[in-house]
Structure formats: structure tokens, C-alpha cells
Amino acid sequence: MGLTVALISGVVFGLGLILSGMINPAKVQNFLDFAGSWDPSLAFVMAGAIGVASLGFKLTLKKAKPLADAVFHIPTGGEINASLVIGAAIFGIGWGLVGLCPGPAVAALTIGGRGTQEFMLASMAGIAVVALARSLMGQSRSQPQPETHSQPQAQK
């Protein structure tokens, strides 16, 4: 059942990205161009997504266990370190230059989006380089593993 839920979730997410225009690099770049041809429409997409996700998290975490797993996997790390800052900076620069990030790029692959194959190859190469560098330095991950909970923790 877990794979079915993941597949349905992925299809709904991808369709949302396609319908909202998030797979169009020009639309994304215009959203980021405050001094030029700024297109604020993606702000409404983000606001809607944040609202739906917030409601979903609130309702889901009231349950004793998730629908498609035995326990909740809730991240506990909140540490800001050099790896996080550098990764966020590279992500932001790439998003601004190319107009794609991984989720929309995967959705764009389904419809043959312009330059998407090259973006995905470059992303996979970057992931491989980081994995190789970490293994050579003896690091497995830069973040702590998420804790698992059979019941959600009380909100503070």
C-alpha cells in the first residue's frame, strides 16, 4: 500500500506543478526578477501549497500512525551548519539561473521540457560528487537521522 500511496502522491504533486506553471523555467525566472518583468503568480501557488500542506500536517499528526507506514518519521535536526548554508546557496543560485529545481524538473521530464534532461544529469552528477567526497572524508551524512515515533509528539 505504501508504494501505491507514494505513486498517487507523486502524480498529484507532478500535475500540480504542471498546472501551476512551475515547470516553465521562464515563469520561474520572471517570478525571481523583481526589478524587471516580475510575475507574482507563483506567490499564489506557493501560498496555496503552504496552506494545503499545513492543514495536511495538522490533520495527519493527530493520527496514531501514518496511513502507509508503521511509524511517523519526523526530522529532529535543526542545526544550521556550513553544509546546509552552502547547499541552500547552490540550490538558490541554480534555481535562479536555470529556472528549475528537482521536483518541477522531474515533472517536466514527462512532457519533454526544454533543457530538463541536462539539468537532471547535472543534478545527479552533483549528488554523486557529494556522495564520493563524503565517503572519502568518512562522513555518512551531514544531518542526524530522523526519529521515528509511533505517536506524534505533543506540540509545544
Side-chain angles (χ1 to χ4, degrees):
M1 177 154 138
L3 288 176
T4 303
V5 171
L7 177 63
I8 292 168
S9 297
V11 168
V12 169
F13 180 67
L15 288 173
L17 292 171
I18 291 168
L19 292 173
S20 68
M22 289 286 295
I23 65 167
N24 179 354
K27 187 170 187 76
V28 173
Q29 288 171 324
N30 285 339
F31 171 70
L32 298 171
D33 187 8
F34 296 111
S37 56
W38 185 56
D39 178 1
S41 63
L42 291 184
F44 297 108
V45 171
M46 284 190 266
I50 290 168
V52 169
S54 297
L55 179 62
F57 279 113
K58 189 170 188 78
L59 294 174
T60 299
L61 291 176
K62 287 183 177 183
K63 300 199 175 292
K65 71 180 199 82
L67 177 67
D69 203 346
V71 295
F72 286 99
H73 300 274
I74 302 171
T76 58
E79 179 182 320
I80 297 175
N81 57 29
S83 179
L84 177 66
V85 172
I86 291 167
I90 291 170
F91 178 89
I93 291 167
W95 190 47
L97 290 174
V98 179
L100 285 171
C101 61
V106 170
L109 279 175
T110 65
I111 61 169
R114 172 183 62 94
T116 308
Q117 295 87 357
E118 294 86 355
F119 174 83
M120 291 303 293
L121 287 173
S123 295
M124 289 186 285
I127 291 168
V129 167
V130 169
L132 177 63
R134 285 188 177 155
S135 70
L136 292 174
M137 295 184 333
Q139 298 176 347
S140 60
R141 291 180 64 122
S142 64
Q143 305 173 14
Q145 294 289 326
E147 288 184 17
T148 57
H149 300 280
S150 57
Q151 292 194 0
Q153 292 181 346
Q155 302 236 340
K156 296 180 182 179

